Amino acid sequence: MHRRLIIAFIVVALVAALAFQLVINLLLPLFPRLNDLVILPPGTLSFLYKRDLSHRGGPQPTPFLVMVLCLAVLSLLAVITALAFAASRPVLQPVRRLARAAQRMSGGDLSVRIQPRGRDELAQLVTSFNEMAAALEDKVSDLEQMEARARRFAGDVSHELRTPLTAMTAVVGILHEHPGLTGDAATAARLVGQEVKHLNRLVEDLIEISRFDAGTVQLVTDETDVANAVTQCLRARGWSSVNTDVPAGLTARLDRRRFDIILANLIGNALRHGGPPVTVQARIQSGGQGGGQLAVEVRDHGHGLPPTAIPRIFDRFYKADTARTRSDGSGLGLAIAWENARLHGGHIHAGNHPDGGAVFIVSLPLTGQDHDDAQLADAQHVTDIAAPLAGESRPE
Amino acid sequence: MATVLLVEDDPAAREGLELALRRLGYKVRAAETGEAALRDFPDAAADVVVLDVMLPGLDGFEVCRRLRRGGDIPVIMLTARGDDLDIVGGLEAGADDYVVKPVEPRVLDARIRAVIRRTARAGSPAESYGELMIDRGSLIVRRDGREVSLTPTELRLLLVLSGSPRQVLSREQLLDLVWDHDYLGDSRLVDACVQRLRAKIEADTSAPRYIQTVRGFGYRFGPV
């Protein structure tokens, strides 16, 4: 590379020297003191100068000379520019390729490599760049593998816990119902029963969240009556104190089980940590993709969320109230609700109501993917509900 | 009282579930492996099989498939993972229902009751739909004059659907009516059972005549 630069430099220097000589020659008659430098024989340049002897200043330049001088300077500039450009091209091109590669890399594509050309410094730089990219790629893939292993481990541990929990869950009720247990033994039996239940819930939630981490969750959507889903969610858990305001006939395409999980976790959280009364409202909002979103608002009338807690409220095992050592929940409820909303293509917003109390707003797009496309259902041979049914013989 | 054949390899889980089921009033026969269960089975005379998925040797899916080949005993899969693969695999192998470990005894009890529940006989005359004959009195289904052997769940599903021909029933309604899952059942149970039923009664399962899918809503019987 530097060889080309030297050649370019020599060429420019030669041209500059020639041009200098030419300019000196042209200017000579204007400055008689430079007479000693005259190379050309006298009279050669007479077409360029008017010899006006009456004038003390000696020969005057003709307009032709002025034009030639201008042209010479301009063409000299053009030649130098062209030469500089030609000389810089081979230098700039690899630099541009490097810049593009660096840009792709900062965009997250660590697989980018550049073909080195030649054996000069730029080629060395390209080789170093490739080595750096390879090292970075290895490091990131190592980290990713470690993270995947850690997540798998959490999932595996939870799965392994299920087998002993199966035996414990099956028999713990027997202890509880046993009439022979009194006093301390009865208390112990109650505690064991209660904690087995708690452990079950924790393991269940850990497995659920590890499914999200592993990316194995699936959305199974059905046309869902929202009012019905809310009522069923409350009834199944015996939450009779919750006020609901959901218009009848409001339907959306949702995964019923996952929607129930979102509702149960938000309402359960409001009941445990917020103040009564807890209200659930559902509305259709315009906007979003395909037009329209289902917005479900769960609000309590307690002290609200501390401002510092709001950004972290959906973190796993995050507790807004540090004084509270442990609640009935697993500490994963809001994180699971958030993941489920995201799976639907929606989100949950957490904040405080101007009149006090915490507000969680779930926004889910009204159109979801079709359940009938799921692997168990036959998607190819379906009849259309819109087709007339009564009294018509249909081609089978 | 009903007899449960429990297939579970983990000794503690087996013992615990056996104890819980016995206290619920079931007779329990326990098997450690799928092979042992299949060996015992013809003589075990069980009313329902509660089958663990993760078994050494023959896995739960394979045991379920072989049980299905031999007869129409209801099978409930006991999935340790509750992962979709396990559930889908179990349902494709022919299981009637599934529960996720750790299961509470009262939940298992309710599921067992639902799958072994015999449909009440009705006094109505036999109905004919094309080549299909459904006799609600004797609870016999014939196709082209030959009796079709159905599990209690499959029979109930067919009777519920054919009970109101041309009316669309949602998966949710069917879960309630057939499986007694009044709340948040897995709609894949319905899809899997429909496919098994179609395999038994439809001439061409890819163009079903009797049990038709109504996209986005559920299933309906006919119109034939």
Side-chain angles (χ1 to χ4, degrees):
Chain A
M1 194 62 59
H2 55 291
R3 222 179 303 135
R4 278 181 244 170
L5 269 176
I6 290 169
I7 293 166
F9 181 74
I10 291 169
V11 170
V12 172
L14 277 174
V15 170
L18 279 172
F20 180 74
Q21 187 61 63
L22 186 70
V23 169
I24 288 292
N25 277 325
L26 288 171
L27 294 181
L28 195 62
L30 296 177
F31 308 98
R33 276 190 204 159
L34 293 174
N35 236 357
D36 293 348
L37 288 169
V38 170
I39 300 169
L40 302 168
T44 317
L45 299 170
S46 58
F47 65 101
L48 295 177
Y49 299 99
K50 292 179 272 188
R51 209 164 267 279
D52 184 0
L53 293 175
S54 66
H55 203 275
R56 239 173 13 124
Q60 296 298 305
T62 60
F64 181 69
L65 172 66
V66 175
M67 202 179 72
V68 166
L69 270 178
C70 285
L71 275 176
V73 168
L74 280 176
S75 49
L76 191 67
L77 271 175
V79 167
I80 289 174
T81 309
L83 277 173
F85 188 72
S88 69
R89 249 181 76 84
V91 182
L92 280 181
Q93 217 175 19
V95 172
R96 280 205 201 98
R97 282 198 301 152
L98 259 173
R100 268 201 301 273
Q103 224 161 29
R104 268 176 64 191
M105 212 158 124
S106 64
D109 179 11
L110 296 182
S111 66
V112 61
R113 300 287 184 276
I114 309 164
Q115 190 68 42
R117 281 178 206 154
R119 272 177 302 169
D120 53 21
E121 289 84 348
L122 271 173
Q124 275 171 22
L125 178 60
V126 164
T127 311
S128 303
F129 178 89
N130 285 345
E131 281 167 7
M132 179 189 73
L136 210 56
E137 199 178 14
D138 283 354
K139 199 88 193 158
V140 167
S141 104
D142 276 359
L143 282 172
E144 277 171 354
Q145 273 174 14
M146 266 166 67
E147 199 186 345
R149 265 203 298 275
R151 286 177 168 178
R152 233 188 350 261
F153 181 73
D156 289 347
V157 166
S158 312
H159 288 317
E160 288 304 315
L161 286 174
R162 268 192 168 170
T163 308
L165 271 173
T166 303
M168 283 159 80
T169 308
V171 298
V172 79
I174 299 169
L175 265 186
H176 201 44
E177 295 156 9
H178 203 286
L181 291 182
T182 51
D184 289 354
T187 311
R190 184 181 54 78
L191 267 175
V192 169
Q194 177 190 311
E195 292 310 289
V196 166
K197 207 171 249 180
H198 188 250
L199 196 56
N200 268 341
R201 165 116 202 239
L202 188 60
V203 167
E204 193 54 48
D205 282 358
L206 272 170
I207 290 173
E208 184 71 10
I209 208 109
S210 71
R211 273 188 213 123
F212 278 105
D213 289 348
T216 59
V217 285
Q218 273 186 336
L219 205 58
V220 184
T221 62
D222 262 317
E223 203 64 29
T224 306
D225 185 309
V226 179
N228 194 19
V230 172
T231 313
Q232 283 193 333
C233 172
L234 296 175
R235 197 172 46 206
R237 290 163 181 89
W239 292 333
S240 52
S241 65
V242 177
N243 300 324
T244 61
D245 174 17
V246 184
L250 181 59
T251 59
R253 207 154 179 83
L254 303 169
D255 184 317
R256 288 183 61 240
R257 191 178 75 80
R258 299 195 177 280
F259 184 58
D260 183 75
I261 290 171
I262 298 174
L263 286 176
N265 280 322
L266 293 182
I267 297 169
N269 183 68
L271 287 169
R272 277 196 300 274
H273 303 296
V278 173
T279 59
V280 180
Q281 280 188 354
R283 294 278 176 278
I284 297 290
Q285 283 178 342
S286 54
Q289 289 168 343
Q293 281 193 321
L294 170 70
V296 182
E297 181 192 293
V298 178
R299 184 189 167 195
D300 70 64
H301 290 75
H303 299 296
L305 302 166
T308 50
I310 292 174
R312 298 193 54 203
I313 199 78
F314 295 107
D315 288 2
R316 297 166 189 190
F317 298 117
Y318 179 73
K319 289 185 175 66
D321 183 359
T322 46
R324 185 186 295 274
T325 48
R326 207 182 70 184
S327 69
D328 304 339
S330 63
L332 292 166
L334 289 180
I336 288 173
W338 190 82
E339 293 280 7
N340 276 306
R342 216 176 48 134
L343 191 67
H344 276 91
H347 62 271
I348 307 179
H349 172 83
N352 286 319
H353 197 275
D355 300 334
V359 186
F360 289 84
I361 299 170
V362 190
S363 306
L364 305 174
L366 281 178
T367 47
Q369 77 181 73
D370 203 328
H371 176 202
D372 291 320
D373 294 334
Q375 41 192 320
L376 272 173
D378 58 337
Q380 313 99 298
H381 299 280
V382 289
T383 44
D384 198 340
I385 188 75
L389 299 180
E392 283 207 15
S393 60
R394 300 167 63 83
E396 286 290 333
Chain B
M1 200 58 200
T3 304
V4 180
L5 175 59
L6 173 69
V7 192
E8 163 68 67
D9 62 313
D10 182 74
R14 190 173 63 241
E15 208 177 327
L17 285 169
E18 199 178 337
L19 190 57
L21 286 170
R22 222 170 251 140
R23 284 179 67 90
L24 287 164
Y26 294 97
K27 272 189 234 150
V28 184
R29 305 181 68 105
E32 211 172 315
T33 61
E35 287 88 340
L38 289 167
R39 204 171 47 234
D40 291 355
F41 179 66
D43 313 317
D47 299 294
V48 58
V49 181
V50 175
L51 182 60
D52 190 22
V53 173
M54 301 279 279
L55 290 169
L58 282 185
D59 67 11
F61 304 140
E62 188 50 39
V63 175
C64 186
R65 243 171 266 147
R66 294 194 188 185
L67 284 172
R68 276 278 165 273
R69 245 178 270 152
D72 293 306
I73 186 166
V75 176
I76 296 177
M77 298 297 271
L78 201 52
T79 63
R81 283 180 271 169
D83 277 349
D84 283 345
L85 267 182
D86 272 18
I87 294 164
V88 171
L91 294 177
E92 278 175 350
D96 290 277
D97 204 344
Y98 69 91
V99 289
V100 176
K101 283 183 184 179
V103 60
E104 281 191 41
R106 59 176 181 82
V107 173
L108 186 56
D109 182 34
R111 299 293 173 86
I112 291 175
R113 277 173 200 279
V115 295
I116 63 175
R117 183 162 57 105
R118 296 286 162 182
T119 315
R121 287 158 199 254
S124 51
E127 304 149 20
S128 263
Y129 307 91
E131 280 80 58
L132 199 67
M133 195 278 295
I134 300 172
D135 186 344
R136 289 173 197 272
S138 59
L139 297 178
I140 287 174
V141 176
R142 289 178 205 279
R143 196 183 116 201
D144 294 329
R146 262 194 304 265
E147 186 173 341
V148 182
S149 150
L150 299 172
T151 69
T153 313
E154 289 159 5
L155 179 65
R156 254 198 331 278
L157 178 64
L158 180 61
L159 292 182
V160 164
L161 280 168
S162 62
S164 48
R166 294 184 182 183
Q167 189 191 324
V168 181
L169 290 170
S170 70
R171 292 178 173 82
E172 206 175 315
Q173 284 172 306
L174 290 170
L175 278 170
D176 183 15
L177 292 167
V178 179
W179 279 265
D180 289 354
H181 289 201
D182 54 344
Y183 179 67
L184 285 184
D186 187 337
S187 53
R188 288 171 302 187
L189 284 175
V190 184
D191 299 332
C193 194
V194 162
Q195 290 205 330
R196 287 202 303 275
L197 194 50
R198 277 178 182 159
K200 291 183 180 180
I201 63 169
E202 301 279 2
D204 178 5
T205 51
S206 63
R209 195 176 161 198
Y210 303 109
I211 299 175
Q212 301 183 358
T213 307
V214 183
R215 199 186 174 102
F217 290 87
Y219 296 100
R220 71 158 177 249
F221 189 83
V224 181

